[in-house]
């Protein structure tokens, strides 16, 4: 297949098809690079589509604007969710697997035909899903992500989902084959940490996708009347294997990207292979159990099941995240101190390359994911506290804290990095590109906090077009939440603007950006201070800045926890 | 140089761990255990737990139960007054069957929650304190019996917060809690 469109796939490779990256030092094969570019570009297209619907959805929930009719709202919301939470993320994740496997290991991408088939199936699935949602008409309803049976969606939608899931599994096969061949050739070698992270991600992904396949095949059969009865409780349990499972893929992929980007642009090192890898192993065993927090306020699941899943086992994964929360900034701190960029407690952080959007996007991703997404995930995952969060707008705040700021920022940084090092283009509108992560992180951070507030303080439901100023058929309203919705609306516009700037910068750089002509053009991507010379082991460097940041994190975590429990115990009594 | 892009040097498992990292591991581990223990203990000592008995029930069976409940209930204005401490509520597009209902503060009621058609969300708060709200999933095919005791009199509003179709946002019910006589 000739992939050379608009000169985007034309790097200089040697006769074997390899080149050496001047930034990472990786030996990159043409096959792997081209597919990373292809999946990455497709992801950006999905981001653009989903972003358009972010605007219509946010402007409807901000009832002062009240853009859409209720009948259109859920369709737009569904398109927003599928394009951002699934297509933008999963296309990026396949690209990450190809970076974490073939590129890091210096191998070609095997069975490219299979990668191609997976890609085509994913794209077709995505198109079918988009079109079927867009054309939804009664008695069918738009599915959002959850498509909760027995509410029914167009049959084509379920078929599209199956096509997409199968495509994603197929697209992951070349990655697995790469690792299998590596093991056969070098049975006694450990994988590099990034490859190891990608491997863990891929296993979590396959678990989630296979669960999803079972769910949606059965649901499709029900929808075309081959199965008569659809049990709502069965559907919920099964659905959430993929519904939250996909978010666990995002998490594991994002953490892998954190290790990768803090290293290549910030000079971070791995302070303890043992600790970081153990944390990934904990993810492998426990993280999918986190999905159970969606069933905390459900009937039909036993208490023991709920406590085991969210508490006993899921905190294995929460613990793992807290491990990475230390290990990644500490790697940056130690790495920069080693290069003579220490300076006091926080000098390693303040003198870091903040003007480089790859770096700033990564750091904001780490901070905002931890403080906004991570803490709230654990708090709302407590069976009792969940009653105050379940299906309110606060839940929406939680997952925007994880994916809209956390994962999306990390992936934006990665896209910029791919533009620079793989497409070999300098970023257009340099200053705007530098500021973009600050702008997006700031605005989206506030949007997220407002979502949580209106959910917790006023019990504003999610999945509703309008309800704050007007619930038809009653005098009752949630008008008190209006001021917070005004802040939400303004900052949502700003965040969407920042997202637009990202797409404009990325696309303009590819189409009209200056070509990178030599290593000096990408010199700013290489961590300053050069390679460290002393042989003091990395764990012997000071990590007091990171330690302090982590203590602040722990204090906020405990504070949020206590406040949420306090709010809960103020309620009337419920349950046995 | 310990790079995440390179194969780690031999003996990486035996390398020392930075003292501060060890302390952090300890703190995180202890915190994980605390939140586990608290959640588990609260099911025994706490007043707010989403725990109740669940039975499988068809929509028709539940409609019949609702019918006999309504026949036994008395009326105050357009609101039901339950005959005893069982309160039946059924969600259907786009209304809450069994509401409005008048209950007494301080009495423990067994709420029976189910749906005639699709999934719904039982989201309830008093109109005098919107931040006091809680939320439960209501599933067709299942009858969930959830004990509740209201401390304060007032009008409590129920909004459906699970999408159940276009009229979803109009799905509203009220529970009036009055002082016990
Ligand atoms: Cu409803």
């Amino acid at each position: 297949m000739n992939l050379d469109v608009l000169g985007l796939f034309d790097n200089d490779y040697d006769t074997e098809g390899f080149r050496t990256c001047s930034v990472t030092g990786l030996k990159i094969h043409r096959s792997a690079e081209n597919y990373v570019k292809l999946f990455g570009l497709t992801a950006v297209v999905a981001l653009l589509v989903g972003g358009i619907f972010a605007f219509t959805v946010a402007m409807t929930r901000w009832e002062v604007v009240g853009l859409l009719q209720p009948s259109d709202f859920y369709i737009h919301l569904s398109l927003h969710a599928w394009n951002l939470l699934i297509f933008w993320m999963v296309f990026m994740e396949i690209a990450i697997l190809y970076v974490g496997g073939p590129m890091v290991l210096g191998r070609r991408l095997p069975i490219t035909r299979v990668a191609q088939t997976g890609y085509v199936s994913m794209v077709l699935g995505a198109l079918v899903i988009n079109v079927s949602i867009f054309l939804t008409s009664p008695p069918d309803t738009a599915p959002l992500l959850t498509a909760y049976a027995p509410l029914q969606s167009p049959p084509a939608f379920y078929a599209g989902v199956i096509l997409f899931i199968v495509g994603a599994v197929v697209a992951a096969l070349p990655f697995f084959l790469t690792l299998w061949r590596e093991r056969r050739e070098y049975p006694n070698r450990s994988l590099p940490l990034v490859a190891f992270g990608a491997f863990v991600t891929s296993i979590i992904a396959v678990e989630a996708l296979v669960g999803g396949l079972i769910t949606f095949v059965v649901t499709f059969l029900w929808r075309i009347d081959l199965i008569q009865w659809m049990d709502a409780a069965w559907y919920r349990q099964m659905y959430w294997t993929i519904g939250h499972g996909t978010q666990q893929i995002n998490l594991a992929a994002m953490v892998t990207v954190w290790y990768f980007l803090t290293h290549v642009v910030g000079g971070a090192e791995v302070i303890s292979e043992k600790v970081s890898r153990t944390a990934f192993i904990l993810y492998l065993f426990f993280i999918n159990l986190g999905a159970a927090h969606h069933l905390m306020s459900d009937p039909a699941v036993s208490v023991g099941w709920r406590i085991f899943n969210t508490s006993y086992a899921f905190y294995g994964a929460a613990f793992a995240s807290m491990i990475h929360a230390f290990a990644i900034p500490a790697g940056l701190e130690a790495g920069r101190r080693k290069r003579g960029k220490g300076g006091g407690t926080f000098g390693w952080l303040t003198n870091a390359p903040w003007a480089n959007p790859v770096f700033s996007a990564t750091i904001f991703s780490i901070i905002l994911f931890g403080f906004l997404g991570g803490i709230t995930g654990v708090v709302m995952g407590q069976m009792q506290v969940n009653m105050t969060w379940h299906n309110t707008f606060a839940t929406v705040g939680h997952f925007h804290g994880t994916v809209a700021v956390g994962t999306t920022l990390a992936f934006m940084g990665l896209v910029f990095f791919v533009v620079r090092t793989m497409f070999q283009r300098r970023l257009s509108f340099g200053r705007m590109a530098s500021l973009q992560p600050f702008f997006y992180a700031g605005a989206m951070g506030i949007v997220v906090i407002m979502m949580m507030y209106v959910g917790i303080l006023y019990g504003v439901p999610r999945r509703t077009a309008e309800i704050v100023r007007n619930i038809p058929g009653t005098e009752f309203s949630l008008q008190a939440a209006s001021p917070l919705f005004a802040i939400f609306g303004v900052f949502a516009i700003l965040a969407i603007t920042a997202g637009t700037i990202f797409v404009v910068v990325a696309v303009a750089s590819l189409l009209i950006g200056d070509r990178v002509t030599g290593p000096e053009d990408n010199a700013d991507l290489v961590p300053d201070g050069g390679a460290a010379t002393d042989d003091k082991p990395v764990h012997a460097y000071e990590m007091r800045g990171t330690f302090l940041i982590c203590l602040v994190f722990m204090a906020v975590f405990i504070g949020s926890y206590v406040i949420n429990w306090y709010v809960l115990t103020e309620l009337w009594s419920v349950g046995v | 140089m310990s790079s995440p892009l390179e194969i780690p040097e031999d003996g990486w498992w035996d390398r020392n761990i930075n003292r501060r990292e060890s302390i952090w591991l300890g703190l995180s581990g202890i915190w994980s255990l605390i939140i586990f223990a608290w959640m588990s203990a609260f099911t025994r000592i706490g007043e707010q737990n989403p725990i109740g008995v669940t039975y499988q029930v068809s929509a028709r069976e539940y409609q019949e139960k609702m019918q006999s409940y309504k026949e036994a209930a008395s009326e105050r204005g357009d609101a039901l007054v339950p005959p005893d401490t069982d309160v039946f509520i059924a969600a259907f597009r786009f209304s809450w069957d069994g509401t409005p209902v008048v209950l007494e503060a301080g009495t423990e009621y067994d709420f029976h929650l189910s749906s005639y058609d699709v999934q719904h969300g039982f989201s309830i708060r008093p109109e005098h304190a919107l931040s006091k709200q809680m939320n439960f999933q209501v599933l067709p095919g299942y009858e969930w019996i959830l004990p509740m005791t209201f401390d304060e009199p007032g009008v409590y509003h129920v909004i459906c917060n699970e999408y159940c179709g276009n009229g979803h946002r109009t799905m509203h019910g009220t529970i009036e809690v009055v002082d016990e006589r």
Side-chain angles (χ1 to χ4, degrees):
Chain A
M1 181 169 68
N2 181 15
L3 277 168
D4 198 5
V5 191
L6 298 168
L8 294 177
F9 296 88
D10 59 351
N11 292 338
D12 282 334
Y13 300 98
D14 64 20
T15 47
E16 303 268 279
F18 284 97
R19 69 178 185 90
T20 301
C21 175
S22 67
V23 174
T24 56
L26 293 173
K27 207 174 116 205
I28 294 175
H29 192 264
R30 173 193 281 134
S31 56
E33 185 159 69
N34 284 345
Y35 277 93
V36 169
K37 289 174 174 178
L38 180 64
F39 278 90
L41 272 181
T42 313
V44 173
V45 173
L47 178 74
L48 175 63
V49 176
I52 292 168
F53 293 106
F55 179 76
T56 58
V57 165
M59 290 307 108
T60 306
R61 289 246 53 179
W62 186 19
E63 289 173 33
V64 174
V65 179
L67 189 63
L68 298 175
Q69 292 301 310
S71 53
D72 294 330
F73 173 75
Y74 214 62
I75 288 176
H76 283 237
L77 187 62
S78 302
L79 291 168
H80 170 60
W82 275 95
N83 283 289
L84 291 181
L85 214 44
I86 303 295
F87 306 144
W88 152 241
M89 301 270 159
V90 178
F91 279 107
M92 278 304 284
E93 279 149 10
I94 301 290
I96 290 167
L97 291 188
Y98 294 171
V99 173
M103 277 197 190
V104 169
L105 297 172
R107 309 183 71 101
R108 58 165 61 235
L109 185 76
I111 48 172
T112 48
R113 282 254 165 234
V114 173
Q116 197 182 325
T117 310
Y119 175 80
V120 170
S121 177
M122 285 171 74
V123 169
L124 281 179
L127 289 174
V128 170
I129 290 169
N130 271 306
V131 171
S132 67
I133 293 175
F134 194 74
L135 298 178
T136 302
S137 61
D140 287 328
T141 56
L144 195 56
L145 273 181
T146 45
Y148 280 139
L151 197 67
Q152 64 183 39
S153 296
F157 160 76
Y158 301 106
V161 176
I162 294 166
L163 202 55
F164 183 81
I165 295 175
V166 171
V169 175
V170 169
L173 293 176
F175 168 80
F176 285 111
L177 185 61
T178 307
L179 289 196
W180 190 67
R181 286 188 178 163
E182 174 80 9
R183 294 305 287 174
R184 286 241 311 200
E185 266 174 60
Y186 310 102
N188 300 318
R189 252 193 209 173
S190 304
L191 290 172
L193 183 61
V194 165
F196 186 75
F199 181 52
V200 169
T201 305
S202 68
I203 297 173
I204 294 170
V206 170
E207 276 174 33
L209 294 173
V210 168
L213 206 53
I214 297 168
T215 317
F216 280 101
V217 166
V218 171
T219 314
F220 177 66
L221 295 178
W222 162 76
R223 186 59 190 85
I224 58 172
D225 291 331
L226 285 175
I227 292 175
Q228 292 311 312
W229 164 249
M230 195 66 186
D231 186 273
W234 179 87
Y235 180 84
R236 286 177 69 78
Q237 280 217 22
M238 284 308 296
Y239 167 75
W240 283 111
T241 57
I242 183 166
H244 209 83
T246 45
Q247 307 321 311
Q248 315 297 14
I249 312 171
N250 299 342
L251 174 73
M254 174 187 69
V255 172
T256 305
V257 170
W258 287 349
Y259 278 106
F260 179 75
L261 290 182
T262 52
H263 171 73
V264 289
V265 298
E269 303 207 9
V270 184
I271 53 165
S272 170
E273 295 276 359
K274 174 163 66 178
V275 172
S276 293
R277 281 164 202 255
T278 305
F280 274 118
I281 296 284
L282 286 171
Y283 276 169
L284 191 58
F285 287 114
F286 297 128
I287 202 159
N288 273 342
L289 300 175
H293 77 246
H294 290 275
L295 310 177
M296 291 296 94
S297 297
D298 276 24
V301 272
S302 76
V303 175
W305 185 94
R306 285 186 270 179
I307 291 184
F308 173 80
N309 278 279
T310 58
S311 189
Y312 180 63
F314 174 48
Y315 300 145
F319 179 49
S321 287
M322 287 189 274
I323 294 176
H324 292 304
F326 186 94
I328 291 169
L332 190 65
E333 177 168 4
R336 293 186 67 76
R337 286 188 191 280
K338 200 173 189 178
R339 287 171 174 74
K341 299 280 175 183
T345 304
F346 293 113
W348 55 276
L349 191 58
T350 50
N351 69 19
W354 287 100
N356 177 356
V358 180
F359 180 82
S360 59
T362 309
I363 300 299
F364 289 136
S365 162
I366 296 171
I367 295 172
L368 293 175
F369 182 91
F371 280 87
L372 294 181
I375 289 175
T376 53
V378 174
V379 169
M380 74 183 285
Q382 293 243 300
M383 183 171 77
Q384 296 87 346
V385 171
N386 189 264
M387 287 187 285
T388 60
W389 284 70
H390 180 70
N391 268 353
T392 68
F393 215 35
T395 316
V396 184
H398 156 69
F399 64 73
H400 280 77
T402 53
V403 288
V405 279
T407 312
T408 295
L409 266 169
F411 288 2
M412 282 174 170
L414 189 62
V415 168
F416 281 147
F417 185 77
V418 168
V419 169
R420 296 282 304 271
T421 60
M422 295 187 202
F423 286 104
Q424 310 242 34
R425 299 294 197 284
R426 309 180 66 168
L427 295 183
S428 303
F429 317 114
R431 190 154 177 75
M432 209 158 83
S434 281
L435 290 175
Q436 190 275 335
F438 290 81
F439 189 14
Y440 182 79
M444 200 66 206
I446 292 178
V447 169
V448 165
I449 291 170
M450 288 308 127
M451 288 172 166
M452 289 175 189
Y453 281 174
V454 294
I456 290 297
L457 298 179
Y458 303 103
V460 173
R462 63 188 290 202
R463 301 170 184 259
T464 322
E466 51 180 6
I467 195 163
V468 171
R469 303 208 299 176
N470 163 32
I471 304 173
T474 172
E475 302 276 286
F476 174 70
S477 79
L478 297 168
Q479 183 80 38
S482 289
L484 292 182
F485 265 106
I487 304 175
F488 160 84
V490 170
F491 280 91
I493 292 174
L494 294 177
I496 293 163
T497 308
T500 311
I501 291 174
F502 168 78
V503 175
V504 168
V505 170
V507 173
S509 309
L510 293 183
L511 298 182
I512 56 167
D514 296 333
R515 222 164 246 278
V516 169
T517 48
E520 65 285 352
D521 281 345
N522 272 337
D524 61 313
L525 286 179
V526 184
D528 39 15
T533 45
D534 67 29
D535 28 76
K536 192 164 140 190
V538 65
H539 64 76
Y541 282 88
E542 268 290 344
M543 298 175 190
R544 64 176 191 275
T546 300
F547 190 64
L548 277 173
I549 297 171
C550 283
L551 288 182
V552 170
F553 174 76
M554 186 57 94
V556 173
F557 196 165
I558 294 172
S560 314
Y561 187 84
V562 170
I563 290 171
N564 271 276
W565 274 93
Y566 173 75
V567 168
L568 178 80
T569 51
E570 288 292 288
L571 297 173
W572 60 93
S573 78
V574 66
V576 197
Chain B
M1 185 65 181
S2 41
S3 157
L5 299 180
E6 282 162 26
I7 292 151
E9 289 160 26
D10 288 342
W12 56 266
W13 184 261
D14 302 318
R15 288 284 143 77
N16 287 333
I17 299 172
N18 180 281
R19 187 174 55 88
R20 286 197 172 89
E21 184 165 38
S22 307
I23 297 172
W24 177 252
L25 292 178
L27 289 175
S28 307
I30 291 167
W31 177 240
S32 301
L33 288 174
I34 290 174
I35 56 179
F36 161 55
W38 175 252
M39 167 166 142
S40 178
F42 202 83
T43 59
R44 286 176 202 99
I45 60 163
E47 298 263 276
Q48 291 86 13
N49 284 291
I51 302 175
V53 187
T54 306
Y55 297 105
Q56 284 196 300
V57 67
S58 71
R60 179 195 291 273
E61 283 162 359
Y62 199 75
Q63 263 161 330
E64 283 164 9
K65 287 187 182 195
M66 180 59 90
Q67 199 51 44
S68 40
Y69 162 76
K70 280 182 173 170
E71 280 160 17
S74 48
E75 279 174 37
R76 186 188 293 182
D78 59 347
L80 292 169
V81 181
D84 48 36
T85 57
D86 285 299
V87 180
F88 284 77
I89 291 185
F92 68 101
R93 290 183 279 190
F94 300 102
S95 191
W96 294 98
D97 201 6
T99 67
V101 59
V102 180
L103 304 177
E104 287 172 11
T107 303
E108 183 175 273
Y109 290 95
D110 283 327
F111 273 71
H112 297 245
L113 299 172
S114 189
S115 160
Y116 296 154
D117 43 34
V118 295
Q119 304 192 24
H120 298 272
F122 185 80
S123 175
I124 176 171
R125 82 278 287 143
E127 68 184 9
H128 61 271
L130 297 178
S131 63
K132 294 188 175 182
Q133 44 92 22
M134 43 176 127
N135 310 276
F136 304 95
Q137 194 78 13
V138 180
L139 303 185
Y142 293 88
E143 176 179 355
W144 193 8
I145 306 172
L146 201 56
M148 272 201 202
T149 313
F150 295 96
D151 316 322
E152 293 175 62
V155 178
Y156 289 69
H157 291 266
V158 180
I159 299 174
C160 175
N161 65 5
E162 185 57 76
Y163 184 76
C164 57
N166 261 339
H168 163 63
R169 70 199 187 101
T170 68
M171 192 165 160
H172 179 265
T174 52
I175 295 171
E176 194 185 338
V177 177
V178 296
D179 259 327
E180 56 225 290
R181 280 137 291 177

